[in-house]
Amino acid sequence: MGTSTIIMDERAALIRLFSWLSPAFPIGGFAYSQGLETAIAEGRVKDSGQLAEWISGQIHCGSLHTDAYFLAIAARAVTSGDWETLAEANSLCLALQMSSERDKETREQAKSFLEAASAWPTVTPNELNAAFERPMALPIAFGAKAGLQGVSPEAGVAGYANSVVAQQISVGVRLIPLGQTAGLVILASLEAKIAQLSTEALSAQLDDISSLSYGTDIASLRHEDLNVRIFRS
């Protein structure tokens, strides 16, 4: 059974997507480092080259890779009215959070995102409203809203991934520290990988979800033991 979505031209959909991904959008993403603060504190990420490698690994086989897949799966599920797949994807996404801090991060940001995105009201199926009332992971919430609001999955994944990359770079700029220009050089260098990820995610299925990022997972687990912490994860 399908569900209705808002019909918008591409320009209007992109404007809406840009609004959701704006640094001013009140979901608090600036407060999280996703384990990168630990890696910097322990001396494993000390310069722009190592920061680029850290983020590239997340795109290739880490949490950003799986989040992109989850986002696209959620968007397709909402567009087609496949509530079973949406629920299964959300449960798996929450289960894959590697630390209590990351679990809290994705749940709290999802809640904040859904509250803020309600500024763009639309008719929402009862099944989706019920899903939104339960704990949800951020990429699932983002993908679900993208599907409901007529934002293409490819644009949604590309924008979301680019935003996460930019946030990780901002952590490095602040903590390593790096200059703003050095951070932008990293962002520019990762454009092709972000684009490739957005293309791969279009056909992703739940059985394709996997990751291999022990270093970042351990960094996330060790973050709560740091003596001095600026970020929440």
Side-chain angles (χ1 to χ4, degrees):
M1 178 180 176
T3 185
S4 61
T5 58
I6 292 179
I7 305 300
M8 296 189 292
D9 62 35
E10 183 178 3
R11 179 172 54 184
L14 286 175
I15 291 171
R16 186 162 300 182
L17 179 63
F18 295 157
S19 296
W20 291 351
L21 296 170
S22 165
F25 206 69
I27 66 170
F30 61 86
Y32 300 94
S33 82
Q34 302 183 357
L36 179 54
E37 183 175 22
T38 307
I40 294 172
E42 294 177 346
R44 288 187 285 131
V45 177
K46 298 179 290 187
D47 55 36
S48 61
Q50 291 175 338
L51 178 60
E53 289 177 358
W54 178 275
I55 299 172
S56 180
Q58 293 305 298
I59 296 172
H60 178 64
C61 59
S63 60
L64 181 51
H65 184 88
T66 56
D67 282 356
Y69 279 24
F70 278 123
L71 193 159
I73 290 168
R76 295 199 312 265
V78 168
T79 300
S80 63
D82 186 353
W83 313 120
E84 182 177 351
T85 293
L86 181 68
E88 186 177 355
N90 186 54
S91 294
L92 180 58
C93 191
L94 290 173
L96 290 178
Q97 303 308 309
M98 294 303 298
S99 67
S100 61
E101 290 184 352
R102 288 302 309 276
D103 181 73
K104 187 175 182 180
E105 172 186 345
T106 198
R107 291 172 186 257
E108 290 186 350
Q109 286 196 88
K111 182 179 179 180
S112 296
F113 172 77
L114 291 173
E115 289 176 354
S118 65
W120 289 266
T122 183
V123 176
T124 305
N126 292 334
E127 296 90 343
L128 186 54
N129 276 326
F132 285 155
E133 292 174 358
R134 295 188 288 270
M136 185 169 276
L138 177 60
I140 301 297
F142 196 99
K145 275 290 186 181
L148 184 66
Q149 297 275 354
V151 176
S152 74
E154 187 170 18
V157 170
Y160 181 92
N162 191 70
S163 178
V164 172
V165 168
Q167 169 58 20
Q168 288 278 282
I169 291 171
S170 73
V171 174
V173 168
R174 184 174 179 180
L175 295 181
I176 291 175
L178 297 176
Q180 293 289 341
T181 300
L184 291 174
V185 168
I186 297 173
L187 185 61
S189 72
L190 294 174
E191 283 183 351
K193 291 185 178 181
I194 293 170
Q196 181 180 355
L197 176 60
S198 68
T199 299
E200 292 175 358
L202 288 180
S203 58
Q205 305 296 324
L206 288 176
D207 288 344
D208 298 321
I209 300 293
S210 64
S211 67
L212 185 65
S213 55
Y214 300 131
T216 53
D217 291 344
I218 292 172
S220 178
L221 290 166
R222 289 170 62 88
H223 184 262
E224 63 184 32
D225 295 326
L226 288 181
N227 291 327
V228 178
R229 298 191 301 173
I230 296 175
F231 296 91
R232 297 179 63 186
S233 71

